[in-house]
Each structure stands twice: as C-alpha cells, then as structure tokens.
C-alpha cells in the first residue's frame, strides 16, 4: 500500500512545481481511460465468482444501509461540532 | 455522463467474465496490469491536487466552518461505517474502509478491490454511488431541516464538483465556498486514509 501513497505524494510534488493546467487534456484522457479500465476489471473480478447472483442482493442491502448510516452520522457529527465551535448568534 | 460510463464498465466486465466470454488466461493477464493502472491513477490525482493552486489559495483563506465541516464529516462517516459493520457481515475494518470513500465511488472501489477483493470493492462502489445520489436528492430538504452548513456533510468528497452547484443553489454562496474546501480536503484524504485499512 506504500506504493499508492508514494504515487500520490510524487504526483502532488510534480503538480506543485509544474505550471497550472500543465498537459490537462492528455492527463484527463489517461485518467478516464485508466479509471474505466480499472472499473471494468473490477467487474471481471466480480464475474469470476460463481456465487455472484446470490450475493448481489446482499451487496445492494449493505450499500443502502452504509450510505444512509454515513449520511445520518456525518450530519449529526457536524451539528455537534457547529454547536460547540460554531459562530455564536448575536 | 461519466457515471454512466463507469456503471457500464463495471456491468460489462461482470457480464463478460460471468458468461465466460473472456478466456481465463486473458483475464489473468489483464488483472496483472491493474496495479500499474492504479499507481498511474493515484499519480494523476496527486498531480491535480498539487497543480490546482486556486484550491490551495481558497483553503488558506478559509473560515472556521471550513475546518468544522470536514472534521465532522470524517468522524460521522467513519462512525456510520463502523455501525453498519456491527449489523452486517462486514468486519469493522471493512465497514470503516468502505465509508472512507466519502462518496468518491470510483477511487474507493478500485482501491478496495485491490486491497480487500472484488466483493468489498463492489460494495464500496455501490454505497458511494448511493451516497452521492441521496445527497443530490436530499440537499434541498436538508438545508431547511439541519441548516446550510450541516447539509454539506452528506456530500463528502463530491462537494467540490458534482454536488457543489446544488449546495450553492440551496445553501448559499458561503456554504458553497465551504463545500468546495470540504470536497478538496476529503478528496485529498481518500487515497491516504483507505490504504491505512490494509
């Protein structure tokens, strides 16, 4: 996993010292192609599982629970922090 | 438009592999290049962060809400992911890792597929797509119910792009600036936090 953090760090370093908007079009193309390729292979990996069909409904249920839970608790945490550190009303 | 392309890519990969249209040796060969693609992707994400000086300037001029919102979003999101792990088959580590995508479905899915397998990657993709969709639909109502700043929290990393116009329309200009900063901070943290769950 160190490779990933290192790749990110080298990218930040390179981006900081090169002119703003440097190679933005080819960069965007490489980014989109890599991303779509990786998602395609995520699908390929998923499809290799013979039990996939029986798992799909459980994936959807867990994903819905996860999205609702993180939304509710992120709002609650922000409300608590605003109450403690937010601007006082005059 | 990109979201449809991403959903189509996952769907096509799954169908072609499940129905054995792709041969096993071809699949093995292709899977070996995913690690290199991921490193290229992370380099480009880093490059964008470092190269976007306007975001860095906005970040430095930020007010206190620009710190409160991302901190609250991170704490609440990871706690929400942990709670889901208690009531499902996920481990606490997996639940918090999935939640730490902060709505960035593509990156969290590819990172977690590489780290924890395709099942967790698929859940990360779906749950973060749902988070983004629910955010888009609920901001108009949340801005009235919990106020303009707390309504930024559900958007997570998407508040710097996809959900920013909705935040500006329903929560106001100041909330839009804070939302943008929130998105920049969380987007920067996604590729740093997720590998910590390895």
């Amino acid at each position: 996993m160190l490779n990933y953090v290192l790749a990110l760090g080298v990218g930040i370093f390179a981006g900081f010292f090169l002119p703003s908007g440097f190679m933005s079009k080819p960069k965007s193309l490489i980014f989109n192609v890599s991303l779509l390729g990786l998602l395609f292979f995520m699908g390929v990996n998923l499809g290799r599982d013979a039990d996939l069909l029986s798992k799909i409904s459980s994936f959807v249920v867990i994903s819905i629970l996860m999205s609702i839970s993180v939304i509710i608790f992120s709002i609650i945490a922000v409300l608590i922090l605003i109450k403690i550190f937010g601007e006082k009303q005059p | 438009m990109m979201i449809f392309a991403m959903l189509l890519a996952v769907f096509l990969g799954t169908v072609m592999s499940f129905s054995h249209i792709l041969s096993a040796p071809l699949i093995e060969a292709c899977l070996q290049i995913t690690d290199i693609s991921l490193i290229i992707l992370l380099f480009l994400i880093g490059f964008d962060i470092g190269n976007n000086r306007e975001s860095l300037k906005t970040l430095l001029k930020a007010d206190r809400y620009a710190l409160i919102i991302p901190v609250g979003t991170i704490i609440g999101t990871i706690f929400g992911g942990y709670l889901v792990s208690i009531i499902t088959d996920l481990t606490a580590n997996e639940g918090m890792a999935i939640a730490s995508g902060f709505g960035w479905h593509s990156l969290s899915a590819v990172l977690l597929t590489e780290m924890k397998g395709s099942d967790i990657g698929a859940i990360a993709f779906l749950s973060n797509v749902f988070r983004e969709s629910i955010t888009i639909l609920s901001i108009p109502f949340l801005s009235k119910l919990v106020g303009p700043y707390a309504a930024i929290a559900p958007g997570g990393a998407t508040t710097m792009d996809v959900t920013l116009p909705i935040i500006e329309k329903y929560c106001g200009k100041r909330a839009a600036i804070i939302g943008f900063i929130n998105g920049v901070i969380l987007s920067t943290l996604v590729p740093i936090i997720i590998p910590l769950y390895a």
Side-chain angles (χ1 to χ4, degrees), chain B residues 32-48:
Chain B
Q32 282 175 5
I33 61 166
T34 56
D35 200 41
I36 299 163
S37 304
L38 194 52
I39 286 173
I40 294 172
L41 199 72
L42 286 164
F43 172 81
L44 291 173
I45 289 167
F47 192 95
D48 265 348

Side-chain angles (χ1 to χ4, degrees), chain A residues 1 4 11-12 15-16 18-21 27 35 38 41-44 47-48 52 55 63 69 73 77 81 85-87, chain B residues 14 17-18 28 30 34-35 42 44 46-48 50-51 53 64-65 72 76 80 83 113-115 119 126 174 198:
Chain A
M1 290 307 115
Y4 300 156
I12 293 175
F16 191 76
L18 285 169
S20 206
K27 207 158 43 70
L35 182 59
L38 282 166
F41 290 120
M42 184 185 103
V44 169
R48 291 202 300 175
L52 176 69
K55 284 181 181 175
S63 302
S69 172
F73 286 101
L81 290 184
F85 300 109
E87 289 161 2
Chain B
T14 310
S17 171
F18 192 72
E28 288 303 328
C30 291
T34 56
D35 200 41
L42 286 164
L44 291 173
F47 192 95
D48 265 348
N51 203 231
R53 296 198 182 84
R64 75 172 90 172
Y65 281 92
L83 278 187
T113 298
E114 196 67 19
M115 286 166 53
D119 288 7
L126 281 178
R174 187 180 170 201

Side-chain angles (χ1 to χ4, degrees), chain A residues 63-83:
Chain A
S63 302
I64 290 172
L65 281 174
M66 180 67 77
S67 53
I68 292 173
S69 172
V70 300
I71 284 176
I72 291 173
F73 286 101
S74 62
I75 291 173
I76 292 172
V78 167
L79 284 174
I80 293 170
L81 290 184
I82 288 177
K83 184 88 179 159

